[in-house]
Amino acid sequence: MTTLIWASFALTETGQPVQTDYALCVEGNRITAAGSYADLRARYPEATQVGGHDFFMLPAMTNSHDHGRGLGTLPLGVPDDLLEIWLPGLYSQPGIDRYLLARYEGQLLLRAGVGTTAHSHNPRDWLNMGVEAEATIRGYREAGIRVAFHPPITDQNPLIYAERERFLAGLPSTLQEAAQRFLRPTPLTQQDYFTLCEQLFQQHHDATDHTVHIQVSPAGGQWCSDEVTLAAVDWAKRHNTRIQMHMLETGYQRIYAFKRWGKSFIAHLAEIGVLGPWLTLAHMVWIDATDLPLLAEHGVGVAHNPSSNLRLRSGVAPLPALLEHGIHVGVGLDGQALDDDQDYLRELRLAWTLANRPGADSPTISADLVLQMGTRDGCAITLGSDVPLGRLTPGALADLVLLDWPGVQGVWSSPETPPLDLLLRRASRQQVKHVLVNGEWVVRDGQSTRIDEAEVMSAIRADLKRYDPALLAQSGAAAKALGPYLRRFYATWETDTAPARHFIAA
Ligand SMILES: [Zn+2]
């Protein structure tokens, strides 16, 4: 059966002009033909037609770094703060059923035009991560979204990055026990971790249609020994899959690296053989100018998280410098969108706006380039550059979005207005009408075709009733009480081991 999908405007591939009155043919889960609407209609008179004059067609987008938080963290009692102070609060959140969360998150992202998401798992119970992973993958697949799933591993520096004794010495005796609980190592051994990755890989990794990829994730530079990070590299290479890590999200992480090795994190990872085209690094706010050529030379991908970096007070990543060096960048919501709504188009808008810096000598970052991060390059750093997604050309997997174009145009827009500028400045999830993933309409008229949103919301509310608010408040109290001491610890951390950060030209 052939479906002919058409629109008055189409971004088939970034770097190419926007097409007008353009159509695609889809058979099964692939795009089989593309061209003018008039041509394709004549060639495929029997095809079912979807689309029309009122649509802008673009590839479904890739959310390159996230955690499948579903409800976010703020409504669960963890307000935004400096990352290091915010993180302990996560442990006191209710452990909502993972299957429900993934169903909710999956349809939320699809209705925002996202066809693929990267899920960096935050385990509720490290020793039960296999069960949590199965439930999460099942939920996403039922929603109809592609997922790159990365179970995490950490084996050092919980709570604080170094100088544990100095931190403990600054705590009152009433908080010593609470601090010790946060300082306990995670109970998952390296061997059990890779056994779990192996099981998930055998069960779920789909190298044909790319509905699920299983990847590995030493969770962050400061939280993982070289030994575990190198083992992850080895595992990913042997399984022809990828690694995703949090990296240089905050200035304190950069200082940690200089204290530990007398050089930047990236220089250290290059030296021990971690950098390569298999690696995606999320955040990358606090890179040094000397890191840029290393990242480019090794083909490392970067997941840019502009909202999260603002909300958790990490800063603004030097996106123009990364792009100038030809580094492949994707964009991820990290569960912390500016409006706490997982609106991916708005996240791209923020990335675009922050990237165009003051000064006549600053480069201009085009709407096309930002959309490339949301589509082709985002896919390359999330699923791999050999996966045919992020473009609407024959042979590619059939993942696309039809946007309500009059809704984007508003009262009137001049024919002189570049359509991609208009799209990126104005479009949000409200204009996402129809979404096709893997050849199936998973969103029609702005609604999931697979998940009853009201039903999953009420199931989540019912699940939350299992938790006694008083007990949750009690477990959150320890994290809250440690906050001022963590703040003081970092505020008084000697930072002169790290060189003044080279200014990275905007
Ligand atoms: Zn993250």
Side-chain angles (χ1 to χ4, degrees):
M1 204 181 79
T2 304
T3 307
L4 191 155
I5 303 162
W6 72 285
S8 58
F9 289 95
L11 174 67
T12 56
E13 198 172 357
T14 52
Q16 301 293 322
V18 170
Q19 307 286 331
T20 50
D21 292 321
Y22 202 75
L24 303 174
C25 280
V26 170
E27 285 172 45
N29 66 353
R30 298 270 170 174
I31 296 167
T32 51
S36 80
Y37 173 53
D39 252 22
L40 259 63
R41 190 178 46 179
R43 273 168 58 197
Y44 300 89
E46 305 295 319
T48 311
Q49 291 197 22
V50 178
H53 281 297
D54 285 349
F55 291 108
F56 192 115
M57 178 159 59
L58 70 157
M61 296 169 283
T62 293
N63 179 21
S64 291
H65 173 73
D66 214 315
H67 298 270
R69 301 193 205 276
L71 307 192
T73 50
L74 174 65
L76 296 178
V78 187
D80 300 356
D81 206 326
L82 207 65
L83 176 88
E84 286 82 4
I85 293 164
W86 171 84
L87 271 176
L90 297 188
Y91 293 96
S92 61
Q93 294 191 116
I96 302 168
D97 183 289
R98 295 300 180 144
Y99 169 66
L100 291 177
L101 270 190
R103 280 166 72 87
Y104 182 73
E105 175 89 7
Q107 61 84 35
L108 193 64
L109 289 170
L110 287 166
R111 292 195 296 110
V114 172
T116 303
T117 192
H119 177 104
S120 198
H121 195 71
N122 286 136
R124 180 74 196 166
D125 174 359
W126 287 88
L127 299 179
N128 196 35
M129 190 152 63
V131 173
E132 293 182 11
E134 293 289 346
T136 303
I137 293 167
R138 188 160 60 93
Y140 281 129
R141 289 311 303 139
E142 287 183 15
I145 195 166
R146 299 179 193 275
V147 59
F149 186 91
H150 2 103
I153 183 166
T154 68
D155 67 347
Q156 63 180 29
N157 293 327
L159 192 63
I160 44 167
Y161 302 149
E163 298 176 24
R164 175 184 291 228
E165 297 314 317
R166 181 170 79 86
F167 175 69
L168 289 172
L171 283 182
S173 57
T174 48
L175 281 176
Q176 291 290 338
E177 195 198 318
Q180 290 297 346
R181 276 206 306 278
F182 283 103
L183 285 164
R184 273 203 295 259
T186 51
L188 188 68
T189 67
Q190 200 185 127
Q191 193 185 354
D192 288 346
Y193 173 73
F194 287 109
T195 304
L196 171 64
C197 292
E198 192 69 45
Q199 283 164 358
L200 290 172
F201 191 87
Q202 296 307 332
Q203 186 70 28
H204 297 287
H205 191 84
D206 172 8
T208 310
D209 292 332
H210 308 287
T211 51
V212 178
H213 275 202
I214 301 297
Q215 304 178 350
V216 278
S217 180
Q222 59 289 338
W223 297 311
C224 296
S225 64
D226 288 352
E227 185 202 341
V228 88
T229 306
L230 284 166
V233 170
D234 178 58
W235 195 92
K237 282 159 84 173
R238 276 191 288 115
H239 291 76
N240 194 26
T241 188
R242 302 185 61 78
I243 307 169
Q244 189 162 128
M245 295 177 79
H246 291 87
M247 187 59 64
L248 291 169
E249 183 168 354
T250 71
Y252 300 115
Q253 296 172 2
R254 173 177 179 268
I255 291 164
Y256 168 79
F258 278 97
K259 279 182 185 287
R260 178 86 175 71
W261 300 291
K263 62 185 73 160
S264 80
F265 247 125
I266 302 304
H268 173 69
L269 294 178
E271 205 168 273
I272 64 172
V274 171
L275 302 189
W278 46 78
L279 181 65
T280 294
L281 299 174
H283 297 284
M284 296 293 273
V285 180
W286 289 85
I287 56 179
D288 284 80
T290 48
D291 295 336
L292 294 161
L294 290 173
L295 297 167
E297 181 191 322
H298 290 94
V300 174
V302 170
H304 178 42
N305 312 105
S307 283
S308 175
N309 295 338
L310 292 174
R311 288 183 55 183
L312 302 182
R313 309 188 195 177
S314 302
V316 177
L319 181 63
L322 289 162
L323 295 174
E324 192 190 324
H325 281 77
I327 295 159
H328 284 178
V329 179
V331 172
L333 289 157
D334 199 26
Q336 299 293 333
L338 203 58
D339 299 286
D340 219 18
D341 59 357
Q342 295 295 75
D343 192 328
Y344 191 81
L345 282 159
R346 195 168 278 158
E347 190 71 7
L348 291 184
R349 171 151 54 257
L350 181 63
W352 187 35
T353 309
L354 288 173
N356 284 290
R357 303 274 171 94
D361 55 351
S362 295
T364 293
I365 307 300
S366 68
D368 183 83
L369 194 48
V370 174
L371 285 161
Q372 182 165 310
M373 301 188 320
T375 56
R376 195 187 72 195
D377 288 357
C379 174
I381 68 150
T382 304
L383 295 176
S385 54
D386 55 337
V387 173
L389 278 168
R391 56 185 166 81
L392 303 178
T393 50
L397 287 158
D399 287 25
L400 62 86
V401 176
L402 289 170
L403 284 178
D404 163 20
W405 191 233
V408 174
Q409 286 176 306
V411 178
W412 191 78
S413 66
S414 161
E416 300 305 310
T417 307
L420 292 186
D421 285 54
L422 197 63
L423 188 159
L424 200 54
R425 183 53 57 201
R426 289 187 156 195
S428 59
R429 62 183 320 128
Q430 279 78 23
Q431 283 85 40
V432 172
K433 287 295 163 202
H434 310 305
V435 181
L436 188 81
V437 173
N438 209 33
E440 180 190 332
W441 291 107
V442 287
V443 172
R444 288 304 293 265
D445 297 316
Q447 296 302 318
S448 168
T449 59
R450 288 174 158 224
I451 305 284
D452 181 336
E453 193 192 11
E455 190 185 293
V456 74
M457 280 165 67
S458 82
I460 288 172
R461 286 194 191 105
D463 192 52
L464 278 163
K465 291 212 174 87
R466 290 189 293 135
Y467 294 91
D468 177 350
L471 278 179
L472 284 179
Q474 204 179 13
S475 74
K480 282 197 179 75
L482 287 171
Y485 298 94
L486 286 164
R487 203 181 295 279
R488 189 182 308 157
F489 172 80
Y490 285 110
T492 57
W493 209 19
E494 260 181 51
T495 58
D496 51 6
T497 42
R501 192 174 175 225
H502 294 288
F503 179 68
I504 298 175

